[in-house]
Amino acid sequence: MQPITRSRILGLTQKELRLKRSLNSQALIKRDEKYGSRHFKPLPVVLAKGEGVHLWDVEGKRYLDFLAGFSTVNQGHCHPRLVKVTREQAGKLAHTSRAFYSEPHGALAEYLTKLFGWEKFLPMNTGVEAGDTAIKVARRWGYRVKKIPSEKATVVFAKNNFWGRSIAALSASTDPNCYTDFGPYVPRFDKVPYNDLNALEQKFKQDPTVCAFMVEPIQGEAGVVVPSDGYLEGVRNLCTKYNVLWIADEVQTGLCRTGKRLAVDHENQRPDILILGKALSGGMYPVSGILADEQIMSCLETGSHGSTFGGSPLGNRIALEAVQILEDENLAENACKLGEIVRKRLENISKDIASEFRGRGLLCGLVINKDFAEGWDICLKLKEAGLLTRPAHGQILRISPPLTITKEQLEEGLHILTTVLDNYK
């Protein structure tokens, strides 16, 4: 039996411990800031290892992860099954491009179409690429099926949406921090208020050139904004009535995060095009894609769309295992059950501290009163206490741990959170 050493307690191998001694968080952050370009504003923690719901920094301190890579590692960090298939596939065949067939491509497409109930799957890499693909397909459908005049196809988005930072995505944004000084923007992208069926119908009535409405079933980056009951059903009915494709952006809300396989399942609705990403990869390798039926997907002919890495053998094999893990481990059910614990605990927090709790399943947000504290400052205190997350829009603490989290681990994290809030002043 191996002796219990400090390195074993920290979860580090001897090799990792030797490397750790040569590193320092402050020096690594300084190097990053000197040579790296601006991206997010990171919390001042340098992570070196992840396992399940835990992360370790380069000094060996362990944290509970309440962000899950923005809902990407639903299966937990470095899930053993994902590590195994990644090693196996990378050692056998990692990349070919879609210039050739490979076995994992058809295997993933068959599994996803049968599981979710659409006829075709088109793989890409990142969520923003999948969103762009959905818009391309919808525009092509608008011209070839709906017979919209050339160059006139309009795509409507909900205000306060977020689906990435490409030129197309920022053209759809209503956040000045996202779009300012990046124009000219993609034309014929219109916006309507989120969770407002009357505004959506008025737009459809007034503009026969609308080919698609793209919306998140729950707005994530906007601060975990959950729509009124019946909104998704209303969207479905209006899109059918006015012959408009409904594109559901489930990059963050899909794959069990909200307590169902898909967030649209809470109202038993079926969009025309479904966008998946993030947890489709299990955090191991970027994988995204869209699901739609033959009539829509066949609007793309050979050569009209493609991707060097989209649909790679490595990505497809990982994605197949990632979704099978969600199913085998009943992670939607776990998210539903534990999400209720989060709700009951955080809805009772003093209104002087937090004005509102939002969420469904394990996609949650706690709105911190600005008079009480800045969300960033709370996250710094949480980091010191051993819990990692980030604020959305400054004041909304994200609560989205890996879906593999246990009740005991969740209770530990909520205890850290509530203790930090109670003792903040």
Side-chain angles (χ1 to χ4, degrees):
M1 183 176 179
Q2 290 184 329
I4 296 176
T5 62
R6 183 170 181 270
S7 63
R8 285 187 64 201
I9 293 172
L10 296 175
L12 301 173
T13 66
Q14 289 297 322
K15 182 178 180 181
E16 288 169 330
L17 188 62
R18 287 195 298 272
L19 179 62
K20 176 185 76 67
R21 289 181 182 133
S22 68
L23 301 173
N24 173 275
S25 287
Q26 188 176 358
L28 288 170
I29 291 171
K30 187 175 180 180
R31 181 182 69 178
D32 197 281
E33 290 176 345
K34 181 177 181 180
Y35 296 107
S37 184
R38 291 180 180 175
H39 196 266
F40 287 107
K41 179 184 177 182
L43 279 175
V45 56
V46 183
L47 299 174
K49 178 179 177 178
E51 181 180 331
V53 299
H54 292 108
L55 292 162
W56 285 261
D57 65 19
V58 293
E59 278 80 34
K61 180 176 178 178
R62 190 181 77 167
Y63 304 86
L64 269 172
D65 180 10
F66 263 37
L67 189 66
F70 295 108
S71 300
T72 297
V73 289
N74 287 4
Q75 302 84 351
H77 293 278
C78 300
H79 193 290
R81 284 172 56 179
L82 286 174
V83 171
K84 181 175 183 289
V85 300
T86 300
R87 286 173 173 161
E88 289 175 352
Q89 191 63 48
K92 182 169 62 175
L93 181 66
H95 178 72
T96 61
S97 85
R98 290 293 307 285
F100 310 99
Y101 289 98
S102 69
E103 191 276 333
H105 181 271
L108 177 63
E110 180 182 22
Y111 184 79
L112 293 181
T113 53
K114 289 182 176 179
L115 181 67
F116 292 110
W118 279 271
E119 294 174 355
K120 296 285 184 180
F121 174 70
L122 175 57
M124 295 298 291
N125 305 285
T126 63
V128 71
E129 287 178 286
D132 194 76
T133 299
I135 292 166
K136 283 183 66 176
V137 171
R139 280 180 161 181
R140 180 61 72 85
W141 175 90
Y143 296 128
R144 298 194 173 181
V145 178
K146 192 172 179 178
K147 305 301 182 183
I148 295 171
S150 180
E151 304 299 313
K152 299 295 183 182
T154 299
V155 181
V156 179
F157 301 86
K159 292 181 180 180
N160 299 318
N161 72 80
F162 181 84
W163 53 279
R165 293 180 175 85
S166 68
I167 291 295
L170 66 86
S171 296
S173 177
T174 55
D175 181 357
N177 191 49
C178 186
Y179 66 72
T180 299
D181 291 338
F182 292 116
Y185 308 108
V186 175
R188 307 194 76 83
F189 276 16
D190 287 350
K191 296 98 179 179
V192 298
Y194 182 67
N195 197 26
D196 189 335
L197 294 174
N198 290 331
L200 184 62
E201 182 161 25
Q202 282 300 113
K203 178 61 187 172
F204 287 175
K205 276 183 180 178
Q206 295 167 2
D207 191 350
T209 69
V210 174
C211 64
F213 175 52
M214 181 165 157
V215 66
E216 301 157 85
I218 297 172
Q219 289 192 324
E221 184 68 20
V224 192
V225 182
V226 182
S228 303
D229 291 343
Y231 176 66
L232 300 180
E233 182 180 5
V235 168
R236 174 68 280 167
N237 292 339
L238 289 176
C239 287
T240 300
K241 178 179 178 180
Y242 291 94
N243 196 25
V244 170
L245 297 183
W246 173 19
I247 303 172
D249 175 4
E250 294 239 28
V251 170
Q252 184 165 191
T253 60
L255 299 173
C256 306
R257 171 56 54 182
T258 68
K260 299 275 189 181
R261 279 185 185 141
L262 303 172
V264 294
D265 292 343
H266 288 282
E267 294 192 26
N268 297 313
Q269 299 302 311
R270 185 178 188 268
D272 299 291
I273 301 175
L274 177 76
I275 308 173
L276 295 176
K278 290 188 183 295
L280 189 60
S281 71
M284 301 297 287
Y285 182 98
V287 187
S288 65
I290 67 170
L291 285 153
D293 285 341
E294 173 70 30
Q295 184 211 28
I296 295 169
M297 207 76 90
S298 64
C299 292
L300 293 179
E301 70 271 350
T302 300
S304 62
H305 192 65
S307 167
T308 298
F309 285 94
S312 73
L314 180 59
N316 284 333
R317 182 66 189 89
I318 290 171
L320 178 60
E321 193 72 18
V323 180
Q324 288 175 334
I325 289 169
L326 296 173
E327 292 294 305
D328 293 346
E329 299 188 8
N330 299 313
L331 294 184
E333 180 181 340
N334 197 50
C336 181
K337 179 176 64 176
L338 298 189
E340 284 305 303
I341 294 176
V342 177
R343 176 182 299 280
K344 289 175 182 177
R345 177 71 68 86
L346 299 187
E347 279 184 337
N348 294 323
I349 286 181
S350 168
K351 298 301 180 186
D352 294 334
I353 297 174
S355 60
E356 184 183 1
F357 171 82
R358 305 170 182 171
R360 182 163 280 166
L362 285 176
L363 181 63
C364 307
L366 186 67
V367 184
I368 302 298
N369 287 327
K370 199 169 182 64
D371 291 340
F372 176 77
E374 296 288 335
W376 181 261
D377 294 336
I378 295 293
C379 288
L380 291 176
K381 293 288 187 182
L382 290 171
K383 177 188 81 74
E384 294 303 314
L387 186 146
L388 296 179
T389 189
R390 287 179 58 92
H393 289 271
Q395 295 303 113
I396 305 159
L397 297 185
R398 303 172 195 261
I399 301 149
S400 57
L403 304 186
T404 53
I405 193 167
T406 65
K407 182 176 182 292
E408 292 72 26
Q409 291 166 336
L410 181 69
E411 293 281 6
E412 178 189 353
L414 293 176
H415 176 72
I416 293 172
L417 175 58
T418 54
T419 300
V420 165
L421 292 175
D422 288 342
N423 296 321
Y424 181 75
K425 290 298 186 180

